Amino acid sequence: MVKINQEKSEVLCQSEGKNYQQKAYTLGEKQINRVDKLKHLGITRNVKSKVNTDERLKTGRQTIYALLGSGLHARTGMCPLVLCKIWKTYVVPRYLYGLEVQICTKADIYELEKLQRKIFRQFLSLPERTASSALYILLGAEPVETILDRNMLSLFLTISRLDNAIEKKILQWELEIGKDFTESFINRIDKILNKYSLPNPKEILENPPSKYKWKNILNKAINIYWSKIWKEECLTKSMVKCYRKYLTIQENPTENPHNIWKAARNNQNDIRKAEFKSRLITGTYMLQTTKAKFSKNQISGICELCTKAEEDIKHFLLDCESLESVRLKQMNKLLSLTELKGGGDKAIYKEEDVLQIIMDCSKLSTTSLSHLKANDLIEIEKQSQNFCHQMHKERTKCKHDDT
């Protein structure tokens, strides 16, 4: 027999508007204390059934700062992929704990997402104006929205495998009357399954897949969904047009980091080069054309080094005469890595292909560079990072000499 302690028991009534009643509850002969919020199994619940996002955000910030401290901002030689793994392993379970059994509004998810994006920008040393999709593509990470969907589907699949359990019977009952309660658990599951083009709840309850099979199905569906979303963003949103031409959305983008960070070793020198390349490919590196755009053309977009053309990415990497000596030396090393091993004719590339090789060679993996393997592309990426960094150093040096 279960004994309930009258002194430690509390009552929380969740209702809305006129349905809220100031009713007294007793256990035995003692009246139970009635409260507006309480914590049960680590989840704080309140009268209005709303998620306390402020508390969640505070937990997330406290956890990551306790783990990394100044390493979150300063270059300590720790690769962002390692930092992202720490975030995913230790922080996400804490600050999203229990949300699968609570009703999260779009505003709640937006606030939780905003914290994750801010942390990712700090990991990558990218400015606030960096497009959100670029952060996830570079790190190979999942948005908060998908993490919550995963957690809810995991709970649903666990219950669906419990034959004759009361929890499964409740879900079956909800399924029968679900249309009358739009915020019921089964209805929210139905929306998630529909979003990722997965079987409906009834099919899964009747014939639940194995854990291994479900994991593969879900991972594939999530990757297809976000690949489509991010490709559409690249075509429609003006903020991401600056990098859509060069940055490749790789296969399985929510679990596969971009080659820029795959090529970077866990040391300060490599990370500094990869950080610079990330700024270049996301359009957040401050060239003269960028300054002209932000100043509404009050600042000239003409290159301050050669004064012969506007300084955009192409001019900086391929055309500026003041950087020619560094360019020739580094370009020969870079293009030599694209040649067929074992000899053969030297490849001749168009100017736009050379620029694409420098920015993101993986985009040409099915065309001009189809003869290369995945490891070869990473070697080219390493050399391209060195190329871009040397060009940046020479540009900075020339500007400093002119002043």
Side-chain angles (χ1 to χ4, degrees), residues 363-375:
K363 197 164 190 174
L364 302 176
S365 60
T366 57
T367 54
S368 308
L369 302 180
S370 58
H371 58 282
L372 298 177
K373 297 179 180 178
N375 289 340

Side-chain angles (χ1 to χ4, degrees), residues 124-173:
L124 295 166
S125 295
L126 291 173
E128 186 67 28
R129 58 193 173 89
T130 309
S132 302
S133 51
L135 302 173
Y136 292 115
I137 292 167
L138 288 171
L139 287 172
E142 290 181 341
V144 166
E145 174 188 343
T146 293
I147 297 171
L148 293 175
D149 290 344
R150 274 186 183 277
N151 292 345
M152 285 188 68
L153 290 174
S154 176
L155 177 61
F156 173 65
L157 263 293
T158 300
I159 295 173
S160 69
R161 297 187 187 103
L162 300 174
D163 294 330
N164 301 319
I166 187 66
E167 292 86 359
K168 186 170 182 176
K169 290 179 181 178
I170 291 172
L171 286 184
Q172 291 168 337
W173 172 75

Side-chain angles (χ1 to χ4, degrees), residues 193-208:
L193 293 171
N194 186 56
K195 179 168 75 174
Y196 298 114
S197 303
L198 293 167
N200 62 52
K202 185 177 181 181
E203 292 178 29
I204 294 174
L205 281 171
E206 290 175 353
N207 187 25

Side-chain angles (χ1 to χ4, degrees), residues 137-271:
I137 292 167
L138 288 171
L139 287 172
E142 290 181 341
V144 166
E145 174 188 343
T146 293
I147 297 171
L148 293 175
D149 290 344
R150 274 186 183 277
N151 292 345
M152 285 188 68
L153 290 174
S154 176
L155 177 61
F156 173 65
L157 263 293
T158 300
I159 295 173
S160 69
R161 297 187 187 103
L162 300 174
D163 294 330
N164 301 319
I166 187 66
E167 292 86 359
K168 186 170 182 176
K169 290 179 181 178
I170 291 172
L171 286 184
Q172 291 168 337
W173 172 75
E174 276 193 356
L175 195 60
E176 293 177 6
I177 63 162
K179 293 181 180 179
D180 299 328
F181 302 95
T182 56
E183 295 300 333
S184 67
F185 182 76
I186 203 71
N187 265 337
R188 287 184 286 144
I189 289 293
D190 187 44
K191 289 176 185 176
I192 294 169
L193 293 171
N194 186 56
K195 179 168 75 174
Y196 298 114
S197 303
L198 293 167
N200 62 52
K202 185 177 181 181
E203 292 178 29
I204 294 174
L205 281 171
E206 290 175 353
N207 187 25
S210 65
K211 288 184 180 180
Y212 179 77
K213 184 179 179 181
W214 176 252
K215 182 180 178 181
N216 290 336
I217 292 171
L218 183 58
N219 286 343
K220 184 178 178 181
I222 286 171
N223 280 300
I224 290 171
Y225 175 81
W226 284 110
S227 291
K228 183 181 177 182
I229 293 292
W230 290 334
K231 283 175 183 175
E232 287 176 357
E233 282 187 10
C234 288
L235 294 173
T236 57
K237 290 190 176 181
S238 59
M239 71 175 71
V240 296
K241 284 181 181 178
C242 58
Y243 72 84
R244 76 181 185 194
K245 186 177 180 182
Y246 304 112
L247 183 61
T248 307
I249 299 176
Q250 302 195 151
E251 190 178 355
N252 301 327
T254 62
E255 54 192 34
N256 183 24
H258 195 273
N259 279 354
I260 289 175
W261 288 107
K262 280 184 182 178
R265 291 170 297 180
N266 219 24
N267 63 64
Q268 288 185 341
N269 192 38
D270 275 21
I271 288 169

Side-chain angles (χ1 to χ4, degrees), residues 97 102 115 161 202 206 248 284 316 329 333 371 403:
Y97 171 74
Q102 293 184 282
L115 173 63
R161 297 187 187 103
K202 185 177 181 181
E206 290 175 353
T248 307
T284 55
F316 166 54
K329 182 180 178 182
K333 292 180 182 178
H371 58 282
T403 57

